Amino acid sequence: EMMPGECLGLIGNSGSGKSTFLNMIGGLDRPSAGKLYVDGKNLFQMTENELVKYKRSTVGFVWQNNARNLLPYLTAWENVMTPMLFVEEKEKAVSEEEKKKRALELLELVGLGHRKDSKLSQLSGGEQQRVAISRAIAHKPKIIFADEPTAELDSNTGLQVMKIFKELIEKQGVTIVM
C-alpha cells in the first residue's frame, strides 16, 4: 500500500513485468486476474468510460522514450498544455489563456521557461524529459508512473530529473511509481 506523497521504485530483471505492472495500474492494460486498487478504485471493475476518467484525472506518465512522451510538431508549451485540453473541469471552465499560463509555469518549474517555444528537435534529451515531466503533471494527477525516465540520459541529467521528481513529491504531494 502506498500513501500520497511517496515514491516507489520497482526493481526486477528485464522481462519480469515491471512495465506491464505500470501499464495495468495506469489503466492502459487490463489485468486478467487478481485485485488491483488505485486511489480506492478497483481497476478490474471499471467500465471503459470510468477508465478514461481515471486516466484523465488520476494518473500521469513519463516514459523512457521521449517519442512516446511528446508530440514533435508542437512547441514545449503546447506539449505541456495538451493534457489540460482533455480534463473535465469540475468547478469552472478554464480558458485557453489560463491553460497556457499553467503550461508556462510548469516549464519554469523544471527550468525550461526560456525554451517554451522550442520544438522537440530543438531540445536535448534531458530537456525533452523535463518537458515530459511538466506534461505528466499538467492535469494535476495524483500519481505519476515513470517507466525508466532516466535510462536514455547521462548521469548528470538523470540526477536533475530525479531532483525534479523529489521536488514534486515534497511540494505537490504527488505519488510517484518508477
Side-chain angles (χ1 to χ4, degrees):
E1 183 175 335
M2 287 190 68
M3 302 305 293
E6 288 186 336
C7 182
L8 172 71
L10 299 174
I11 300 170
N13 293 331
S14 180
S16 64
K18 299 179 303 292
S19 295
T20 300
F21 178 69
L22 285 181
N23 285 341
M24 284 192 300
I25 59 178
L28 300 176
D29 289 340
R30 288 281 196 166
S32 56
K35 294 181 180 180
L36 188 55
Y37 289 86
V38 178
D39 195 30
K41 299 171 182 84
N42 184 343
L43 270 65
F44 281 40
Q45 296 178 342
M46 285 186 181
T47 65
E48 286 301 318
N49 284 343
E50 289 169 333
L51 267 176
V52 168
K53 287 180 184 176
Y54 168 77
K55 288 184 274 190
R56 285 182 181 171
S57 65
T58 305
V59 300
F61 293 93
V62 180
W63 306 105
Q64 174 182 344
N65 182 343
N66 284 322
R68 191 171 179 188
N69 285 321
L70 304 168
L71 300 168
Y73 50 87
L74 297 179
T75 62
W77 75 264
E78 290 168 330
N79 262 289
V80 175
M81 190 172 109
T82 300
M84 292 184 267
L85 301 176
F86 301 100
V87 174
E88 296 174 18
E89 300 298 336
K90 294 175 180 88
E91 300 91 33
K92 64 179 180 107
V94 177
S95 71
E96 293 294 312
E97 197 57 39
E98 289 171 306
K99 290 175 183 175
K100 181 177 180 180
K101 181 181 174 194
R102 174 157 169 77
L104 296 175
E105 288 170 356
L106 290 171
L107 286 171
E108 288 289 342
L109 177 75
V110 298
L112 287 177
H114 65 291
R115 302 301 307 266
K116 67 183 186 306
D117 294 316
S118 300
K119 300 264 174 110
L120 194 60
S121 62
Q122 299 169 311
L123 300 171
S124 70
E127 288 171 330
Q128 290 175 21
Q129 199 65 309
R130 288 187 281 161
V131 172
I133 292 169
S134 295
R135 180 182 171 150
I137 62 172
H139 62 293
K140 301 178 184 176
K142 296 177 182 178
I143 306 167
I144 294 177
F145 300 112
D147 194 355
E148 300 189 45
T150 61
E152 294 184 4
L153 305 176
D154 63 70
S155 59
N156 190 35
T157 306
L159 287 172
Q160 289 177 340
V161 166
M162 295 306 291
K163 182 180 175 200
I164 292 167
F165 280 130
K166 184 176 185 266
E167 289 175 10
L168 289 174
I169 291 168
E170 291 172 352
K171 295 179 181 175
Q172 299 189 18
V174 175
T175 301
I176 300 178
V177 180
M178 255 181 246

